[in-house]
Amino acid sequence: MFNNLLKIGLFSIAFISTAASADILNAKEQKQIMALKETALTSELSYNLIESLTTEVGHRLVGSEGDKKSITWALNKMKALGFDKVWTEDVTATYWHRGEVEAKVIAPYPHKVIAIALGGSVGTGDKGVKGKIAHFNTFKDLEAAADNSLNGKVVFISYRMERHINGKGYGPAVAARKNGAAVAAKKGASAIIIRSIGTDNNRLAHTGSVRYDEGGKAIPAASISNPDADMLLNQLKRSDDVEFFLKLTSHSDPKVVAKTANVIGELTGSEFPDEYVTLGAHLDSWDVGTGAVDDGIGVGMMMATVHHIAQLPVKPKRSIRVILFAAEEIGLVGAKTYVEKRNGDMAGHVIGAEWDFGVGPIYEMKTGVGKKSLPALYDFAKYLEPLGVSVNKTNTAKAQSDMSLMSQAGMPSVNFAPDGSLYFDYHHTENDTLDKVDAKALKHNTAIYTMFAYFAAQSGVNFSQ
Ligand SMILES: [Zn+2]
Protein backbone atom coordinates (compact mmCIF):
# COMPACT_ATOMS: atom_id res chain seq x y z
CA MET A 1 0.00 0.00 0.00
CA PHE A 2 2.63 2.51 1.00
CA ASN A 3 5.12 1.63 -1.68
CA ASN A 4 7.81 4.26 -1.69
CA LEU A 5 9.02 3.11 -5.06
CA LEU A 6 5.85 4.55 -6.48
CA LYS A 7 6.49 7.90 -4.91
CA ILE A 8 7.00 9.98 -7.99
CA GLY A 9 6.04 13.44 -9.13
CA LEU A 10 2.40 14.31 -9.60
CA PHE A 11 2.93 14.97 -13.28
CA SER A 12 3.95 11.35 -13.79
CA ILE A 13 1.18 10.00 -11.60
CA ALA A 14 -1.36 11.33 -14.02
CA PHE A 15 -0.11 8.90 -16.59
CA ILE A 16 -0.09 5.74 -14.52
CA SER A 17 -3.02 3.53 -13.75
CA THR A 18 -5.21 4.94 -11.04
CA ALA A 19 -5.42 1.46 -9.53
CA ALA A 20 -1.77 1.60 -8.54
CA SER A 21 -2.29 4.63 -6.36
CA ALA A 22 0.99 6.17 -5.37
CA ASP A 23 1.60 7.61 -1.95
CA ILE A 24 1.09 11.32 -2.00
CA LEU A 25 1.92 11.79 1.67
CA ASN A 26 5.36 10.84 3.02
CA ALA A 27 5.76 8.43 5.92
CA LYS A 28 5.65 11.17 8.55
CA GLU A 29 2.56 12.73 7.00
CA GLN A 30 0.89 9.35 6.81
CA LYS A 31 1.41 8.95 10.55
CA GLN A 32 0.02 12.41 11.04
CA ILE A 33 -3.15 11.77 9.07
CA MET A 34 -3.77 8.53 10.98
CA ALA A 35 -3.25 10.36 14.28
CA LEU A 36 -5.73 13.05 13.22
CA LYS A 37 -8.23 10.34 12.38
CA GLU A 38 -7.88 8.86 15.87
CA THR A 39 -8.22 12.27 17.48
CA ALA A 40 -11.40 13.09 15.56
CA LEU A 41 -12.90 9.65 16.11
CA THR A 42 -12.57 10.00 19.87
CA SER A 43 -13.28 13.72 20.27
CA GLU A 44 -16.63 15.10 21.45
CA LEU A 45 -15.82 18.55 20.08
CA SER A 46 -18.17 18.62 17.07
CA TYR A 47 -21.07 17.51 19.23
CA ASN A 48 -20.20 19.98 21.99
CA LEU A 49 -20.15 22.82 19.47
CA ILE A 50 -23.60 21.88 18.13
CA GLU A 51 -24.88 21.58 21.70
CA SER A 52 -23.47 25.02 22.50
CA LEU A 53 -24.91 26.64 19.36
CA THR A 54 -28.37 25.15 19.78
CA THR A 55 -28.51 25.84 23.53
CA GLU A 56 -26.91 29.28 23.79
CA VAL A 57 -28.11 30.70 20.47
CA GLY A 58 -31.04 28.61 19.25
CA HIS A 59 -32.56 29.23 15.84
CA ARG A 60 -30.85 31.64 13.47
CA LEU A 61 -33.41 33.06 11.07
CA VAL A 62 -31.85 35.79 8.93
CA GLY A 63 -32.11 39.14 10.68
CA SER A 64 -33.28 37.66 14.00
CA GLU A 65 -31.59 38.06 17.39
CA GLY A 66 -30.36 34.48 17.03
CA ASP A 67 -28.73 35.34 13.70
CA LYS A 68 -26.83 38.23 15.29
CA LYS A 69 -25.89 36.17 18.34
CA SER A 70 -24.61 33.32 16.18
CA ILE A 71 -22.08 35.62 14.50
CA THR A 72 -20.57 36.59 17.85
CA TRP A 73 -20.78 32.97 18.98
CA ALA A 74 -18.88 31.74 15.92
CA LEU A 75 -16.19 34.44 16.14
CA ASN A 76 -15.55 33.67 19.80
CA LYS A 77 -15.50 29.92 19.31
CA MET A 78 -13.12 30.13 16.35
CA LYS A 79 -10.71 32.27 18.34
CA ALA A 80 -10.87 29.89 21.29
CA LEU A 81 -10.39 26.85 19.03
CA GLY A 82 -7.05 28.06 17.66
CA PHE A 83 -7.91 29.61 14.31
CA ASP A 84 -5.17 32.08 13.29
CA LYS A 85 -7.43 34.61 11.58
CA VAL A 86 -11.11 35.22 12.15
CA TRP A 87 -13.25 37.84 10.42
CA THR A 88 -16.71 38.64 9.10
CA GLU A 89 -17.86 39.81 5.68
CA ASP A 90 -21.13 41.77 5.61
CA VAL A 91 -24.17 40.28 3.94
CA THR A 92 -27.49 42.05 3.51
CA ALA A 93 -30.83 40.38 3.00
CA THR A 94 -34.53 41.00 3.37
CA TYR A 95 -35.94 40.27 6.79
CA TRP A 96 -39.04 38.14 6.66
CA HIS A 97 -41.47 37.73 9.55
CA ARG A 98 -43.22 34.39 9.82
CA GLY A 99 -46.24 35.59 11.79
CA GLU A 100 -49.09 33.26 12.63
CA VAL A 101 -50.87 30.60 10.63
CA GLU A 102 -54.39 29.27 10.68
CA ALA A 103 -55.49 26.57 8.25
CA LYS A 104 -58.62 24.47 8.07
CA VAL A 105 -60.95 22.56 5.85
CA ILE A 106 -64.34 24.28 5.97
CA ALA A 107 -66.36 21.77 3.95
CA PRO A 108 -67.41 19.08 3.37
CA TYR A 109 -65.82 17.85 6.62
CA PRO A 110 -64.40 20.59 8.83
CA HIS A 111 -60.89 19.86 10.11
CA LYS A 112 -58.09 21.86 11.61
CA VAL A 113 -54.95 21.52 9.47
CA ILE A 114 -51.36 21.70 10.68
CA ALA A 115 -49.66 24.16 8.37
CA ILE A 116 -46.64 26.42 8.23
CA ALA A 117 -45.90 29.47 6.10
CA LEU A 118 -43.26 28.96 3.44
CA GLY A 119 -40.27 31.22 3.97
CA GLY A 120 -40.77 34.54 2.21
CA SER A 121 -44.51 34.08 1.79
CA VAL A 122 -46.78 37.10 1.71
CA GLY A 123 -49.64 37.20 4.20
CA THR A 124 -53.31 36.72 3.50
CA GLY A 125 -54.60 39.81 5.27
CA ASP A 126 -56.66 39.66 8.44
CA LYS A 127 -59.63 37.96 6.85
CA GLY A 128 -57.62 35.12 5.41
CA VAL A 129 -58.24 33.43 2.08
CA LYS A 130 -61.16 31.13 1.43
CA GLY A 131 -61.49 29.04 -1.70
CA LYS A 132 -62.20 25.74 -3.33
CA ILE A 133 -59.28 23.35 -3.52
CA ALA A 134 -57.81 22.81 -6.97
CA HIS A 135 -55.84 19.61 -6.52
CA PHE A 136 -52.75 18.61 -8.52
CA ASN A 137 -50.74 15.44 -8.04
CA THR A 138 -47.53 17.11 -9.11
CA PHE A 139 -46.03 20.50 -9.85
CA LYS A 140 -45.92 19.53 -13.54
CA ASP A 141 -49.68 18.95 -13.51
CA LEU A 142 -50.12 22.45 -12.11
CA GLU A 143 -47.92 23.84 -14.88
CA ALA A 144 -50.18 22.15 -17.44
CA ALA A 145 -53.34 23.80 -16.10
CA ALA A 146 -54.96 26.38 -18.39
CA ASP A 147 -54.57 30.11 -17.73
CA ASN A 148 -57.36 31.56 -15.59
CA SER A 149 -58.59 28.06 -14.80
CA LEU A 150 -57.75 28.55 -11.13
CA ASN A 151 -59.36 31.91 -10.47
CA GLY A 152 -60.15 32.25 -6.78
CA LYS A 153 -59.00 28.70 -6.00
CA VAL A 154 -56.63 27.41 -3.37
CA VAL A 155 -54.12 25.18 -5.15
CA PHE A 156 -53.07 21.98 -3.38
CA ILE A 157 -50.09 19.92 -4.63
CA SER A 158 -50.10 16.51 -3.00
CA TYR A 159 -46.88 14.96 -4.36
CA ARG A 160 -45.08 13.01 -1.64
CA MET A 161 -41.31 13.10 -1.43
CA GLU A 162 -39.62 9.69 -1.60
CA ARG A 163 -37.07 8.53 0.95
CA HIS A 164 -33.62 7.72 -0.48
CA ILE A 165 -30.21 7.28 1.13
CA ASN A 166 -28.76 10.09 -1.01
CA GLY A 167 -31.71 12.43 -0.68
CA LYS A 168 -32.52 12.27 -4.39
CA GLY A 169 -36.25 12.43 -3.62
CA TYR A 170 -35.84 16.10 -2.70
CA GLY A 171 -35.22 17.44 -6.21
CA PRO A 172 -38.46 16.19 -7.80
CA ALA A 173 -40.48 17.27 -4.76
CA VAL A 174 -39.11 20.71 -4.05
CA ALA A 175 -40.23 22.41 -7.27
CA ALA A 176 -43.73 22.54 -5.80
CA ARG A 177 -42.44 24.54 -2.84
CA LYS A 178 -40.10 26.84 -4.71
CA ASN A 179 -42.10 27.56 -7.84
CA GLY A 180 -45.65 26.42 -7.12
CA ALA A 181 -46.84 29.81 -5.89
CA ALA A 182 -45.58 31.71 -8.95
CA VAL A 183 -47.21 29.24 -11.36
CA ALA A 184 -50.47 29.04 -9.40
CA ALA A 185 -50.67 32.85 -9.27
CA LYS A 186 -50.30 33.12 -13.06
CA LYS A 187 -53.29 30.86 -13.47
CA GLY A 188 -55.40 32.90 -11.12
CA ALA A 189 -55.14 31.03 -7.79
CA SER A 190 -55.52 33.06 -4.62
CA ALA A 191 -53.29 30.84 -2.43
CA ILE A 192 -51.30 27.62 -2.53
CA ILE A 193 -50.80 24.82 -0.04
CA ILE A 194 -48.41 21.95 -0.66
CA ARG A 195 -47.80 18.64 1.02
CA SER A 196 -44.68 19.12 3.17
CA ILE A 197 -41.39 18.35 1.44
CA GLY A 198 -40.48 15.70 3.99
CA THR A 199 -40.34 11.94 4.45
CA ASP A 200 -41.90 11.68 7.93
CA ASN A 201 -45.42 11.03 9.13
CA ASN A 202 -45.26 13.50 11.98
CA ARG A 203 -48.03 16.02 12.31
CA LEU A 204 -45.55 18.80 11.68
CA ALA A 205 -45.26 20.87 8.54
CA HIS A 206 -41.94 21.62 6.81
CA THR A 207 -41.05 25.18 5.91
CA GLY A 208 -38.51 26.29 3.28
CA SER A 209 -38.34 29.14 0.84
CA VAL A 210 -40.85 30.09 -1.83
CA ARG A 211 -39.91 32.18 -4.89
CA TYR A 212 -42.14 34.69 -6.58
CA ASP A 213 -41.69 35.87 -10.14
CA GLU A 214 -40.39 39.41 -10.31
CA GLY A 215 -43.32 41.58 -11.30
CA GLY A 216 -45.69 38.61 -10.94
CA LYS A 217 -48.47 38.36 -8.40
CA ALA A 218 -47.38 37.03 -5.00
CA ILE A 219 -49.92 34.72 -3.38
CA PRO A 220 -49.79 33.26 0.16
CA ALA A 221 -47.99 29.92 0.31
CA ALA A 222 -47.97 27.32 3.06
CA SER A 223 -47.17 23.66 3.48
CA ILE A 224 -49.25 21.19 5.45
CA SER A 225 -48.12 18.11 7.38
CA ASN A 226 -48.07 14.73 5.67
CA PRO A 227 -50.98 13.33 7.75
CA ASP A 228 -53.03 16.43 6.96
CA ALA A 229 -52.25 16.07 3.25
CA ASP A 230 -53.53 12.48 3.45
CA MET A 231 -56.70 13.66 5.17
CA LEU A 232 -57.26 16.32 2.53
CA LEU A 233 -56.88 13.70 -0.22
CA ASN A 234 -59.50 11.58 1.50
CA GLN A 235 -61.87 14.53 1.46
CA LEU A 236 -61.13 15.09 -2.23
CA LYS A 237 -62.04 11.46 -2.93
CA ARG A 238 -65.47 12.22 -1.53
CA SER A 239 -66.10 15.64 -2.95
CA ASP A 240 -65.08 17.96 -5.78
CA ASP A 241 -66.01 20.90 -3.60
CA VAL A 242 -63.55 20.93 -0.76
CA GLU A 243 -63.43 24.38 0.72
CA PHE A 244 -60.28 25.56 2.46
CA PHE A 245 -59.35 28.51 4.68
CA LEU A 246 -55.85 29.85 5.11
CA LYS A 247 -54.70 32.79 7.16
CA LEU A 248 -51.07 33.88 7.29
CA THR A 249 -49.79 37.03 8.96
CA SER A 250 -46.36 36.64 7.34
CA HIS A 251 -44.75 39.72 5.84
CA SER A 252 -41.50 41.18 4.59
CA ASP A 253 -40.57 44.81 4.75
CA PRO A 254 -38.32 45.60 1.79
CA LYS A 255 -37.34 48.89 3.43
CA VAL A 256 -35.84 47.07 6.41
CA VAL A 257 -32.50 45.57 5.46
CA ALA A 258 -31.35 42.65 7.55
CA LYS A 259 -27.65 42.95 8.22
CA THR A 260 -25.88 39.67 8.70
CA ALA A 261 -22.44 38.27 7.88
CA ASN A 262 -20.41 35.35 6.63
CA VAL A 263 -18.09 34.30 9.44
CA ILE A 264 -14.69 33.17 8.17
CA GLY A 265 -11.86 31.58 10.08
CA GLU A 266 -8.50 30.46 8.86
CA LEU A 267 -5.60 28.33 9.92
CA THR A 268 -2.67 29.94 8.15
CA GLY A 269 -0.61 27.66 5.93
CA SER A 270 3.06 27.26 6.85
CA GLU A 271 4.29 27.40 3.23
CA PHE A 272 1.45 28.60 0.99
CA PRO A 273 -0.69 30.92 3.12
CA ASP A 274 -2.51 32.30 0.07
CA GLU A 275 -3.78 28.90 -1.02
CA TYR A 276 -6.99 27.91 0.76
CA VAL A 277 -8.54 24.55 1.33
CA THR A 278 -12.08 25.70 2.02
CA LEU A 279 -14.64 24.05 4.26
CA GLY A 280 -18.21 25.31 4.22
CA ALA A 281 -21.41 25.15 6.25
CA HIS A 282 -24.18 27.66 6.82
CA LEU A 283 -24.70 29.46 10.09
CA ASP A 284 -28.28 30.61 9.53
CA SER A 285 -31.28 28.34 9.98
CA TRP A 286 -35.02 28.48 9.78
CA ASP A 287 -36.84 29.68 12.87
CA VAL A 288 -38.38 26.31 13.63
CA GLY A 289 -36.40 23.83 15.72
CA THR A 290 -32.90 24.93 16.67
CA GLY A 291 -31.13 24.29 13.39
CA ALA A 292 -29.16 21.45 14.97
CA VAL A 293 -29.15 19.27 11.89
CA ASP A 294 -29.52 22.06 9.32
CA ASP A 295 -26.81 23.14 9.57
CA GLY A 296 -25.52 22.99 13.14
CA ILE A 297 -23.86 19.71 12.22
CA GLY A 298 -21.88 21.38 9.44
CA VAL A 299 -20.88 24.26 11.69
CA GLY A 300 -19.68 21.93 14.46
CA MET A 301 -17.82 19.62 12.10
CA MET A 302 -15.96 22.31 10.18
CA MET A 303 -14.87 24.14 13.33
CA ALA A 304 -13.76 20.92 15.03
CA THR A 305 -11.84 19.87 11.91
CA VAL A 306 -9.71 23.01 12.03
CA HIS A 307 -9.22 22.73 15.79
CA HIS A 308 -7.86 19.19 15.45
CA ILE A 309 -5.42 20.26 12.73
CA ALA A 310 -4.45 23.40 14.68
CA GLN A 311 -3.05 21.15 17.40
CA LEU A 312 -0.30 19.82 15.13
CA PRO A 313 3.22 21.03 15.96
CA VAL A 314 3.65 22.30 12.38
CA LYS A 315 0.71 23.71 10.45
CA PRO A 316 -0.05 22.15 7.05
CA LYS A 317 1.48 23.89 4.05
CA ARG A 318 -1.70 25.50 2.78
CA SER A 319 -4.24 27.52 4.72
CA ILE A 320 -7.50 25.92 5.75
CA ARG A 321 -10.43 28.33 5.55
CA VAL A 322 -13.79 27.68 7.16
CA ILE A 323 -16.63 29.74 5.73
CA LEU A 324 -19.83 29.81 7.77
CA PHE A 325 -22.24 31.26 5.26
CA ALA A 326 -25.05 33.66 6.12
CA ALA A 327 -28.58 33.52 4.71
CA GLU A 328 -28.31 30.17 2.94
CA GLU A 329 -31.90 29.26 3.59
CA ILE A 330 -33.34 32.25 1.82
CA GLY A 331 -31.40 31.66 -1.39
CA LEU A 332 -27.62 31.24 -0.89
CA VAL A 333 -27.33 34.97 -0.23
CA GLY A 334 -24.12 34.71 1.82
CA ALA A 335 -22.45 32.54 -0.80
CA LYS A 336 -23.47 34.93 -3.60
CA THR A 337 -21.97 37.81 -1.62
CA TYR A 338 -18.76 35.84 -1.01
CA VAL A 339 -18.30 35.14 -4.73
CA GLU A 340 -19.30 38.66 -5.82
CA LYS A 341 -16.87 40.24 -3.37
CA ARG A 342 -14.12 38.35 -5.22
CA ASN A 343 -15.57 39.25 -8.63
CA GLY A 344 -16.25 35.61 -9.31
CA ASP A 345 -12.56 34.81 -9.14
CA MET A 346 -11.90 31.74 -7.03
CA ALA A 347 -8.11 31.99 -7.38
CA GLY A 348 -6.43 30.66 -4.27
CA HIS A 349 -9.42 28.44 -3.45
CA VAL A 350 -7.62 25.21 -4.25
CA ILE A 351 -10.43 22.85 -3.29
CA GLY A 352 -13.63 23.00 -1.24
CA ALA A 353 -16.10 20.78 0.53
CA GLU A 354 -19.31 21.78 2.30
CA TRP A 355 -21.55 19.97 4.75
CA ASP A 356 -25.25 20.71 4.51
CA PHE A 357 -26.96 17.34 4.31
CA GLY A 358 -27.58 14.20 6.29
CA VAL A 359 -27.22 12.91 9.81
CA GLY A 360 -25.81 9.45 9.05
CA PRO A 361 -22.26 8.32 8.30
CA ILE A 362 -20.45 9.24 5.08
CA TYR A 363 -20.30 6.27 2.68
CA GLU A 364 -19.07 7.84 -0.54
CA MET A 365 -16.64 10.43 -1.80
CA LYS A 366 -17.33 12.08 -5.13
CA THR A 367 -14.71 14.26 -6.74
CA GLY A 368 -15.06 17.28 -8.98
CA VAL A 369 -11.46 18.08 -9.83
CA GLY A 370 -9.05 18.26 -12.77
CA LYS A 371 -8.27 14.87 -14.32
CA LYS A 372 -4.57 14.95 -13.56
CA SER A 373 -5.20 15.32 -9.87
CA LEU A 374 -7.62 12.40 -9.68
CA PRO A 375 -4.94 9.81 -8.80
CA ALA A 376 -4.00 11.95 -5.81
CA LEU A 377 -7.57 11.86 -4.51
CA TYR A 378 -7.75 8.13 -5.18
CA ASP A 379 -4.64 7.86 -3.04
CA PHE A 380 -6.45 9.83 -0.35
CA ALA A 381 -9.40 7.44 -0.68
CA LYS A 382 -7.33 4.60 0.76
CA TYR A 383 -7.43 6.36 4.14
CA LEU A 384 -11.22 6.39 3.93
CA GLU A 385 -11.66 2.79 2.83
CA PRO A 386 -11.38 1.32 6.37
CA LEU A 387 -14.20 3.72 7.33
CA GLY A 388 -16.46 2.18 4.71
CA VAL A 389 -16.21 5.06 2.24
CA SER A 390 -16.10 4.25 -1.46
CA VAL A 391 -15.25 6.53 -4.36
CA ASN A 392 -17.75 7.60 -6.97
CA LYS A 393 -15.56 7.90 -10.04
CA THR A 394 -17.80 10.06 -12.19
CA ASN A 395 -15.74 13.12 -11.14
CA THR A 396 -18.79 15.32 -11.59
CA ALA A 397 -19.18 16.65 -8.05
CA LYS A 398 -20.16 20.21 -7.35
CA ALA A 399 -19.83 21.23 -3.73
CA GLN A 400 -23.11 21.31 -1.77
CA SER A 401 -25.42 24.29 -1.17
CA ASP A 402 -23.47 27.52 -0.73
CA MET A 403 -20.30 26.15 -2.22
CA SER A 404 -22.07 25.08 -5.39
CA LEU A 405 -21.71 28.74 -6.40
CA MET A 406 -17.97 28.54 -5.77
CA SER A 407 -17.76 25.31 -7.79
CA GLN A 408 -19.60 27.07 -10.62
CA ALA A 409 -17.03 29.86 -10.38
CA GLY A 410 -14.27 27.32 -10.93
CA MET A 411 -13.29 25.98 -7.50
CA PRO A 412 -12.43 22.25 -7.56
CA SER A 413 -14.53 20.38 -5.04
CA VAL A 414 -15.28 17.16 -3.28
CA ASN A 415 -18.63 15.94 -2.03
CA PHE A 416 -18.86 13.55 0.88
CA ALA A 417 -22.19 11.73 0.72
CA PRO A 418 -23.66 10.60 4.03
CA ASP A 419 -26.61 8.36 4.73
CA GLY A 420 -29.35 10.92 4.30
CA SER A 421 -32.28 8.55 4.83
CA LEU A 422 -33.54 10.35 7.94
CA TYR A 423 -32.56 13.89 7.03
CA PHE A 424 -35.86 14.88 5.45
CA ASP A 425 -37.83 13.63 8.43
CA TYR A 426 -36.54 16.64 10.39
CA HIS A 427 -35.56 19.13 7.68
CA HIS A 428 -37.04 22.61 8.23
CA THR A 429 -39.34 21.49 11.06
CA GLU A 430 -39.72 21.99 14.79
CA ASN A 431 -38.09 18.56 15.04
CA ASP A 432 -34.69 19.83 13.90
CA THR A 433 -33.20 19.63 17.37
CA LEU A 434 -30.03 18.33 19.05
CA ASP A 435 -31.39 14.85 19.82
CA LYS A 436 -31.47 14.13 16.05
CA VAL A 437 -27.70 14.48 15.80
CA ASP A 438 -26.14 11.02 15.53
CA ALA A 439 -23.11 11.37 17.81
CA LYS A 440 -21.33 8.31 16.41
CA ALA A 441 -21.79 9.30 12.77
CA LEU A 442 -20.69 12.80 13.67
CA LYS A 443 -17.30 11.52 14.87
CA HIS A 444 -16.91 9.37 11.76
CA ASN A 445 -17.77 12.31 9.53
CA THR A 446 -15.57 14.79 11.38
CA ALA A 447 -12.67 12.34 11.04
CA ILE A 448 -13.20 12.24 7.27
CA TYR A 449 -13.29 16.03 6.91
CA THR A 450 -10.24 16.35 9.17
CA MET A 451 -8.28 13.88 7.06
CA PHE A 452 -9.46 15.53 3.85
CA ALA A 453 -8.49 19.04 5.00
CA TYR A 454 -5.09 17.85 6.17
CA PHE A 455 -4.45 15.91 2.97
CA ALA A 456 -5.47 18.74 0.67
CA ALA A 457 -3.53 21.33 2.67
CA GLN A 458 -0.38 19.29 3.20
CA SER A 459 -0.03 17.52 -0.15
CA GLY A 460 0.10 20.65 -2.29
CA VAL A 461 -1.72 18.84 -5.11
CA ASN A 462 -3.05 21.13 -7.85
CA PHE A 463 -6.69 20.05 -7.98
CA SER A 464 -7.61 22.23 -10.91
CA GLN A 465 -5.33 20.27 -13.21
ZN1 LIG B 1 -29.02 23.68 5.14
Side-chain angles (χ1 to χ4, degrees):
M1 283 230 306
F2 302 127
N3 187 345
N4 277 321
L5 291 173
L6 277 174
K7 215 161 144 256
I8 46 177
L10 276 176
F11 184 77
S12 319
I13 287 171
F15 295 97
I16 62 170
S17 155
T18 55
S21 69
D23 290 333
I24 300 296
L25 301 180
N26 67 32
K28 199 178 156 198
E29 292 163 343
Q30 287 174 21
K31 259 192 195 161
Q32 202 85 86
I33 201 169
M34 296 311 284
L36 282 168
K37 174 184 169 183
E38 259 332 284
T39 302
L41 282 176
T42 50
S43 167
E44 305 290 335
L45 181 59
S46 307
Y47 186 87
N48 291 342
L49 287 165
I50 305 165
E51 189 265 351
S52 166
L53 178 64
T54 54
T55 307
E56 296 161 31
V57 179
H59 86 68
R60 306 169 297 282
L61 181 69
V62 176
S64 68
E65 272 311 301
D67 187 30
K68 287 190 194 94
K69 259 168 111 177
S70 71
I71 294 167
T72 311
W73 176 90
L75 286 169
N76 290 340
K77 286 288 182 201
M78 281 179 169
K79 285 176 198 161
L81 289 168
F83 284 67
D84 295 312
K85 275 191 246 166
V86 176
W87 71 98
T88 59
E89 295 182 2
D90 292 346
V91 174
T92 55
T94 305
Y95 187 16
W96 172 76
H97 303 258
R98 176 173 299 285
E100 302 297 322
V101 59
E102 189 188 343
K104 58 189 175 189
V105 180
I106 300 170
Y109 307 105
H111 270 271
K112 179 189 170 188
V113 168
I114 300 297
I116 191 167
L118 296 184
S121 176
V122 295
T124 57
D126 287 346
K127 286 185 182 158
V129 170
K130 233 188 245 181
K132 273 187 192 160
I133 291 281
H135 171 230
F136 297 93
N137 288 315
T138 65
F139 171 67
K140 274 198 176 146
D141 291 345
L142 168 65
E143 278 185 308
D147 284 354
N148 296 318
S149 63
L150 304 176
N151 289 344
K153 302 251 170 87
V154 175
V155 163
F156 168 46
I157 301 178
S158 64
Y159 181 79
R160 186 174 174 121
M161 180 186 164
E162 288 177 9
R163 187 188 297 278
H164 288 283
I165 188 171
N166 62 2
K168 71 176 182 187
Y170 189 61
V174 80
R177 191 192 79 210
K178 286 186 175 161
N179 306 317
V183 173
K186 268 191 209 155
K187 299 177 192 294
S190 47
I192 180 171
I193 52 170
I194 60 162
R195 180 192 282 273
S196 279
I197 311 302
T199 44
D200 59 295
N201 283 322
N202 293 314
R203 206 160 175 224
L204 283 178
H206 297 234
T207 190
S209 59
V210 58
R211 291 185 198 143
Y212 295 121
D213 281 349
E214 237 171 277
K217 195 181 164 214
I219 59 170
S223 72
I224 66 175
S225 81
N226 270 316
D228 286 276
D230 295 340
M231 181 273 294
L232 194 49
L233 283 177
N234 286 336
Q235 298 226 18
L236 286 159
K237 277 183 206 158
R238 290 166 168 80
S239 169
D240 291 332
D241 292 323
V242 175
E243 208 178 345
F244 201 84
F245 173 83
L246 178 69
K247 183 178 167 187
L248 298 178
T249 61
S250 315
H251 66 280
S252 306
D253 187 347
K255 285 179 221 135
V256 181
V257 176
K259 288 187 180 164
T260 180
N262 293 326
V263 181
I264 304 168
E266 210 166 87
L267 194 65
T268 308
S270 53
E271 285 185 35
F272 311 112
D274 297 332
E275 294 183 11
Y276 323 112
V277 172
T278 56
L279 303 175
H282 66 85
L283 191 53
D284 70 308
S285 73
W286 284 110
D287 53 337
V288 289
T290 55
V293 169
D294 187 12
D295 186 20
I297 291 180
V299 171
M301 275 171 54
M302 299 311 139
M303 289 167 85
T305 288
V306 167
H307 173 75
H308 296 323
I309 297 172
Q311 305 311 299
L312 297 178
V314 181
K315 305 279 161 72
K317 292 173 184 168
R318 285 168 164 160
S319 296
I320 302 173
R321 176 179 288 186
V322 170
I323 312 168
L324 301 181
F325 293 96
E328 186 273 346
E329 295 292 4
I330 61 171
L332 309 181
V333 180
K336 275 178 201 154
T337 308
Y338 184 90
V339 174
E340 275 165 17
K341 191 176 159 72
R342 289 157 181 83
N343 299 314
D345 182 2
M346 289 293 103
H349 295 68
V350 294
I351 195 164
E354 175 140 342
W355 181 279
D356 187 23
F357 173 63
V359 285
I362 291 168
Y363 65 90
E364 185 183 88
M365 175 176 81
K366 190 172 173 182
T367 60
V369 299
K371 271 192 188 147
K372 281 187 185 175
S373 59
L374 270 176
L377 279 172
Y378 295 158
D379 174 63
F380 169 63
K382 75 189 175 202
Y383 301 103
L384 304 185
E385 212 182 295
L387 292 169
V389 181
S390 61
V391 182
N392 175 325
K393 295 202 169 175
T394 56
N395 197 31
T396 52
K398 295 278 175 222
Q400 292 177 26
S401 309
D402 307 279
M403 277 195 171
S404 64
L405 300 184
M406 294 165 69
S407 296
Q408 280 165 29
M411 181 183 72
S413 53
V414 161
N415 239 336
F416 292 105
D419 184 334
S421 309
L422 298 177
Y423 185 70
F424 291 103
D425 286 3
Y426 320 129
H427 187 243
H428 298 175
T429 72
E430 292 287 2
N431 259 340
D432 182 351
T433 46
L434 184 65
D435 53 297
K436 311 307 181 307
V437 175
D438 177 338
K440 196 170 165 229
L442 185 65
K443 287 178 181 171
H444 167 99
N445 296 343
T446 306
I448 289 166
Y449 271 79
T450 305
M451 287 192 285
F452 165 72
Y454 175 78
F455 180 89
Q458 182 64 21
S459 67
V461 172
N462 182 347
F463 294 107
S464 40
Q465 280 196 342

